[in-house]
Amino acid sequence: MLKKLILLFYLWNSFVFSQANLNAFLKPTDSLNKARRNGVYLSEVAIGGITLLGLNQLWYADYPKSNFHTINDNNEWLQMDKMGHAFSTYNLGRFGAEALKWSGASRKNQLIYGSTLGFSFMTVVEVFDGYSSNWGFSWGDMIANFSGTLLYVSQDLLWNEQRIVPKFSFHNTEYASARPAVLGSNLQEQILKDYNGQTYWLSGNVHSFFKKSKIPTWLNLAVGYGAKGMITGQEALVNTVFFPDKQRTRVYYLSFDVDLTKIKTKSHFLKTVCSLFNTVKIPAPTFQMDQFGKAEWYFLYF
């Protein structure tokens, strides 16, 4: 029994020591730490490069190449793909800026070299599209990419904080089974490919607009956009085969949300976790209305 107590005591102290070291590591520095800053730059280059190489091999290598060309896909998927581009560039840029803040880099460098991370990465992906015969370089995608970066930079310059954050939620739909190769054959693929189940949100922190109020600092109101009834990017007769009673429909949402970064904690580990998961909309009571005026209430909407 004594040996077990000694072992438990040893394991507990090791855990506490490890947590303390991790917490100290994740704590942002008050002044520039060049080793951290250089580590951030090298990590971003390495991870970005490996990701692009993997993307090229796993995605583009299966399709024929072509000369660089552009396409106009602005009318496809009821613009849900454009929402995804803006969401991605904003949050990649936010992570880049926060990583430089952790290293003690100046606010100017956070904006120049951090917040533009998402735009730079997605631009390279768009160039890959331009050399693939199945896709093409899309100026609509580039505008969406720029919009995501602009949303971050403008709020930082205007308020020195992020009051409105793009978020994402997903639920399974009946449409993926009709075209699993396009919309996904399993949950992981459907989260990325099935636009019918995706919802993109702008989640605004209420207290940040009313600083002197007693509104909880973590409470957000979110407006969302989604779409359903889509089997292909464009209007297609295939819908009349699989879902003859369905039509492509835009859907709008109003809901409550939580700003996880406003939850008070002294743990920098928990702060990091909250920042990462603040990209996801918390399930909450939601009002929905589609483009034809049909309204619905959900006790919890995913």
Side-chain angles (χ1 to χ4, degrees):
M1 183 64 180
L2 179 60
K3 289 182 178 179
K4 291 181 178 178
L5 290 175
I6 292 174
L7 178 60
L8 287 173
F9 179 76
Y10 173 77
L11 292 174
W12 173 253
N13 277 280
S14 298
F15 173 76
V16 171
F17 182 74
S18 298
Q19 288 292 99
N21 283 347
L22 180 60
N23 197 56
F25 174 76
L26 292 174
K27 181 180 180 180
T29 60
D30 296 326
S31 57
L32 178 62
N33 183 316
K34 291 185 178 180
R36 283 192 176 188
R37 181 199 61 188
N38 294 340
V40 169
Y41 288 149
L42 289 174
S43 297
E44 290 177 351
V45 171
I47 294 173
I50 292 172
T51 302
L52 290 170
L53 286 173
L55 184 66
N56 184 60
Q57 291 301 314
L58 296 174
W59 187 268
Y60 294 101
D62 294 333
Y63 300 96
K65 301 291 185 181
S66 70
N67 293 327
F68 185 83
H69 63 287
T70 63
I71 60 170
N72 183 350
D73 61 352
N74 294 333
N75 292 325
E76 294 189 5
W77 301 111
L78 295 179
Q79 293 78 51
M80 285 296 293
D81 57 324
K82 303 299 182 283
M83 298 296 107
H85 277 265
F87 167 84
S88 298
T89 52
Y90 174 93
N91 282 293
L92 285 173
R94 179 171 67 86
F95 293 149
E98 289 179 355
L100 284 179
K101 182 179 181 180
W102 167 79
S103 74
S106 67
R107 183 184 174 205
K108 177 182 178 180
N109 285 343
Q110 291 172 37
L111 289 177
I112 295 176
Y113 303 110
S115 65
T116 56
L117 174 65
F119 183 78
S120 300
F121 179 84
M122 296 299 287
T123 297
V124 176
V125 173
E126 202 61 42
V127 171
F128 281 3
D129 282 351
Y131 284 101
S132 176
S133 60
N134 281 49
W135 293 278
F137 183 95
S138 167
W139 285 109
D141 287 352
M142 290 299 296
I143 292 172
N145 294 339
F146 179 74
S147 298
T149 301
L150 181 63
L151 179 60
Y152 182 91
V153 173
S154 61
Q155 290 188 86
D156 190 274
L157 294 175
L158 183 61
W159 297 314
N160 197 26
E161 63 178 344
Q162 297 298 302
R163 298 183 179 183
I164 303 171
V165 178
K167 293 193 178 188
F168 173 86
S169 66
F170 178 82
H171 61 273
N172 292 104
T173 74
E174 59 187 325
Y175 300 102
S177 61
R179 297 190 73 199
V182 175
L183 302 180
S185 58
N186 54 53
L187 179 60
Q188 292 80 6
E189 291 182 354
Q190 290 167 15
I191 290 174
L192 297 174
K193 296 181 177 182
D194 186 6
Y195 293 118
N196 301 282
Q198 297 177 0
T199 306
Y200 290 98
W201 304 83
L202 285 178
S203 183
N205 183 257
V206 182
H207 185 271
S208 65
F209 289 98
F210 304 97
K211 298 286 189 180
K212 296 181 180 180
S213 70
K214 295 183 179 180
I215 298 172
T217 57
W218 48 263
L219 179 63
N220 279 24
L221 283 178
V223 292
Y225 173 71
K228 58 184 180 180
M230 301 179 293
I231 303 299
T232 64
Q234 298 282 358
E235 291 279 3
L237 294 177
V238 69
N239 273 32
T240 65
V241 177
F242 293 103
F243 303 100
D245 60 332
K246 306 290 186 180
Q247 58 182 318
R248 297 160 66 89
T249 308
R250 302 177 189 274
V251 188
Y252 309 95
Y253 303 89
L254 179 65
S255 182
F256 295 105
D257 190 28
V258 175
D259 187 339
L260 297 177
T261 65
K262 295 295 193 296
I263 296 176
K264 294 182 179 180
T265 176
K266 293 182 179 179
S267 170
H268 291 283
F269 171 75
L270 290 178
K271 287 181 179 179
T272 302
V273 171
C274 286
S275 178
L276 291 173
F277 281 93
N278 207 46
T279 57
V280 179
K281 166 72 169 61
I282 301 298
T286 300
F287 173 72
Q288 169 190 302
M289 178 175 289
D290 67 24
Q291 68 183 77
F292 304 109
K294 181 181 178 181
E296 293 185 57
W297 282 95
Y298 294 90
F299 177 69
L300 286 178
Y301 179 84
F302 292 84

